Amino acid sequence: MKKRWFFAFVLPGFAGVFCFVLLPFADVVRRSFTTAVTGEFVGFDNYRKIFQNEAFLLAVKNTARFVAVCLPLLIALGLIVALLLSGLGQAQTLKSVFLFPMAVPAATVVLVWQMVFDRHGFLNAYTGQEIDFMGSGLSFWVLVFSYVWRNLGYTVVLWLAGILAIPGDMIEAARVDGAGKIRIFTAIMMPQLKGVFYTITVLSFLNSFKVFREAYLVAGPYPQESMYLLQHLFNNWFAWLELDKMAAAAVCMAAVLLVFIQVLTGLWEEA
């Protein structure tokens, strides 16, 4: 009887995932081995083409750099802010404040960035200079700032939820035994926050691939070279109907994401 109820609850969700995720992705895999127009089987020719494509290599390099910079920065800043807030009495009330950036429409955020970082924007007017933020290598750091600002709130909320869930008796007992703040953090708090750490890392990693809207609205489909990401490449290939190369690149990207999450899961289980 229990198995029947189990399948009754699981089956609708599984059917949705199968129809709207697994089947479409299987079709993408099939298309990665065929031509876009005739559907002729070409083997690994599409994969060879994308790895010889300079735009693809540039987008991969920039995306990897973006993830390598943003992921540790976001996780560390979120933890520091959450630790500071956990000592305040109104920590629960402040959660809504930190979630505010996620509620702001992307178009509004882009308008603010344009007013601040434009060649004739507020920042240059304040400093008395005329720095081309969006037309130089600084555009990459503008994108990093935008990503961290928009996603820091939910990271803080997740860290804060984990910190507030730690039993206070454990911390008080450690203090009575003479443990300092650093010892309490490393020996008591971090082991308790391992699950939250894993969740934040995976979500932040996946969200780093969703920063395309801001970059596209600020600089268009062909931005400055340092902020040309995989999302720009996919958008441009789709506009030119180069579906074969886009399918091959999507399969490679999915494989990288799967390997990263599996490696991360293995590291967490061993820890």
Side-chain angles (χ1 to χ4, degrees):
M1 187 66 178
K2 291 183 178 180
K3 289 185 178 180
R4 291 181 180 178
W5 282 110
F6 172 79
F7 285 113
F9 281 105
V10 172
L11 189 59
F14 178 77
V17 171
F18 181 79
C19 293
F20 299 108
V21 178
L22 297 181
L23 280 182
F25 184 72
D27 185 62
V28 170
V29 175
R30 180 188 65 81
R31 289 176 181 272
S32 68
F33 295 102
T34 62
T35 59
V37 179
T38 62
E40 179 185 355
F41 181 79
V42 292
F44 289 94
D45 190 52
N46 292 328
Y47 292 90
R48 180 183 56 80
K49 287 180 180 178
I50 64 171
F51 283 107
Q52 293 177 349
N53 188 293
E54 293 184 4
F56 176 76
L57 298 178
L58 175 65
V60 169
K61 183 187 73 172
N62 288 339
T63 303
R65 180 190 178 200
F66 181 79
V67 173
V69 171
C70 288
L71 207 59
L73 185 62
L74 180 63
I75 294 173
L77 279 177
L79 178 58
I80 292 171
V81 175
L83 287 172
L84 294 175
L85 289 177
S86 63
L88 301 178
Q90 301 297 323
Q92 297 286 352
T93 306
L94 291 173
K95 285 183 178 181
S96 58
V97 177
F98 281 94
L99 290 176
F100 174 75
M102 298 192 70
V104 178
T108 304
V109 175
V110 168
L111 182 62
V112 173
W113 294 158
Q114 288 176 339
M115 291 189 296
V116 173
F117 295 108
D118 187 74
R119 185 188 292 270
H120 304 290
F122 295 150
L123 190 58
N124 281 332
Y126 177 77
T127 59
Q129 300 180 11
E130 195 171 321
I131 303 174
D132 187 8
F133 289 97
M134 302 310 299
S136 64
L138 293 173
S139 61
F140 174 82
W141 298 105
V142 173
L143 193 62
V144 169
F145 175 79
S146 173
Y147 169 80
V148 173
W149 176 84
R150 191 172 181 84
N151 293 279
L152 183 62
Y154 91 90
T155 305
V156 171
V157 170
L158 291 177
W159 276 124
L160 197 58
I163 292 172
L164 296 178
I166 298 175
D169 297 341
M170 297 177 61
I171 298 177
E172 290 299 325
R175 287 175 180 166
V176 171
D177 291 339
K181 292 183 178 180
I182 297 179
R183 181 62 177 172
I184 291 174
F185 175 73
T186 57
I188 296 178
M189 298 184 70
M190 283 309 298
Q192 297 289 326
L193 294 173
K194 189 174 80 168
V196 178
F197 189 16
Y198 173 80
T199 301
I200 292 174
T201 302
V202 173
L203 290 178
S204 300
F205 178 71
L206 296 177
N207 284 334
S208 66
F209 289 89
K210 301 177 182 178
V211 74
F212 171 68
R213 291 178 301 176
E214 290 83 354
Y216 182 83
L217 292 174
V218 169
Y222 297 98
Q224 201 277 336
E225 184 179 278
S226 65
M227 65 182 295
Y228 188 77
L229 305 177
L230 280 171
Q231 295 93 324
H232 292 93
L233 183 68
F234 286 151
N235 177 79
N236 296 334
W237 276 348
F238 180 79
W240 290 99
L241 296 179
E242 297 184 275
L243 303 181
D244 47 357
K245 290 193 291 187
M246 189 169 66
V251 172
C252 293
M253 184 175 172
V256 171
L257 292 175
L258 180 62
V259 169
F260 176 84
I261 294 176
Q262 291 298 322
V263 170
L264 196 62
T265 302
L267 293 175
W268 252 258
E269 290 176 351
E270 293 178 1

